[in-house]
Amino acid sequence: MIELLPFDINHAPKLISKIKDEKMLLQFAGPAYHFPLTKEQLAQDLSNENRTLFRVVETASHTTIGHAQILLKEKIFLLGRILIWDENNRGKGYGKKLVLQLVEYGLRHFDKDTAELNVYDWNTGAIECYKKVGFEIDPTVTSEVYVEGEKWLSINMKMNVKNYKIPMS
């Protein structure tokens, strides 16, 4: 199905080519990046020892189909910058599998009790995907950003991973 492989600066051109406009970049990365996405922005993330970057590879074809990151914070690991870039690959279960693999990676590599992520409230497909994996909306954490005069509300979702059982491979 899919696997997470390390992302390095040599993979940047492909990711950059998939980000078509400011709205897509904001949806993918939140307000931390600025359009157009550049190698320099990605290099900064790669140099951050608290951030792990992945490319999402479809195993049958060995084709990179997306990107994801994990950011370590004091008590949590934050899943972010999750993107399956080709709309033809959406709705095939890749998103759910990707989020599960990110959670499992976090459990194997970091001593944290909570996985967290942020998503825009209008992205109902992603929200449903995250709920299926076990994330719940935290109504106390929200933020707003304005894009081309339009307000986007970011909601926070959390999952207690303390008792999560990693499936046997």
Side-chain angles (χ1 to χ4, degrees):
M1 172 85 102
I2 64 163
E3 64 180 324
L4 297 177
L5 295 177
F7 178 94
D8 65 46
I9 203 64
N10 296 315
H11 303 114
K14 180 146 189 160
L15 174 58
I16 291 167
S17 75
K18 300 299 181 179
I19 307 299
K20 302 296 185 198
D21 56 39
E22 183 179 1
K23 281 186 172 185
M24 184 179 185
L25 181 60
L26 184 63
Q27 178 183 355
F28 158 64
Y33 288 156
H34 302 286
F35 188 78
L37 183 58
T38 63
K39 274 182 141 178
E40 291 75 20
Q41 291 175 86
L42 293 166
Q44 186 173 357
D45 278 354
L46 284 164
S47 70
N48 181 339
E49 66 184 25
N50 290 321
R51 193 175 287 277
T52 306
L53 285 72
F54 302 97
R55 56 192 174 105
V56 182
V57 176
E58 198 277 323
T59 52
S61 66
H62 302 289
T63 303
T64 299
I65 63 166
H67 181 85
Q69 297 185 16
I70 295 178
L71 175 63
L72 291 181
K73 294 193 167 189
E74 188 175 324
K75 297 181 181 182
I76 62 134
F77 60 94
L78 180 71
L79 312 185
R81 301 188 178 145
I82 298 170
L83 177 64
I84 301 293
W85 49 60
D86 184 345
E87 290 186 19
N88 294 325
N89 283 326
R90 295 181 190 158
K92 294 182 177 181
Y94 291 145
K96 181 179 177 185
K97 184 71 175 160
L98 169 56
V99 173
L100 284 169
Q101 286 187 23
L102 288 167
V103 168
E104 290 166 16
Y105 183 95
L107 286 168
R108 286 188 172 107
H109 293 89
F110 314 120
D111 184 23
K112 309 289 182 188
D113 291 340
T114 304
E116 192 172 306
L117 57 82
N118 296 298
V119 59
Y120 291 108
D121 67 342
W122 51 262
N123 195 347
T124 55
I127 293 168
E128 290 307 310
C129 172
Y130 303 146
K131 284 180 177 178
K132 286 177 186 173
V133 172
F135 283 85
E136 296 177 354
I137 294 172
D138 179 349
T140 66
V141 181
T142 61
S143 64
E144 299 176 350
V145 66
Y146 287 86
V147 132
E148 298 175 5
E150 186 180 339
K151 180 172 77 170
W152 288 9
L153 179 66
S154 176
I155 59 175
N156 179 268
M157 299 181 78
K158 291 180 171 64
M159 179 170 65
N160 182 319
V161 294
K162 191 172 193 163
N163 299 317
Y164 184 88
K165 301 290 185 231
I166 299 174
M168 300 305 272
S169 301

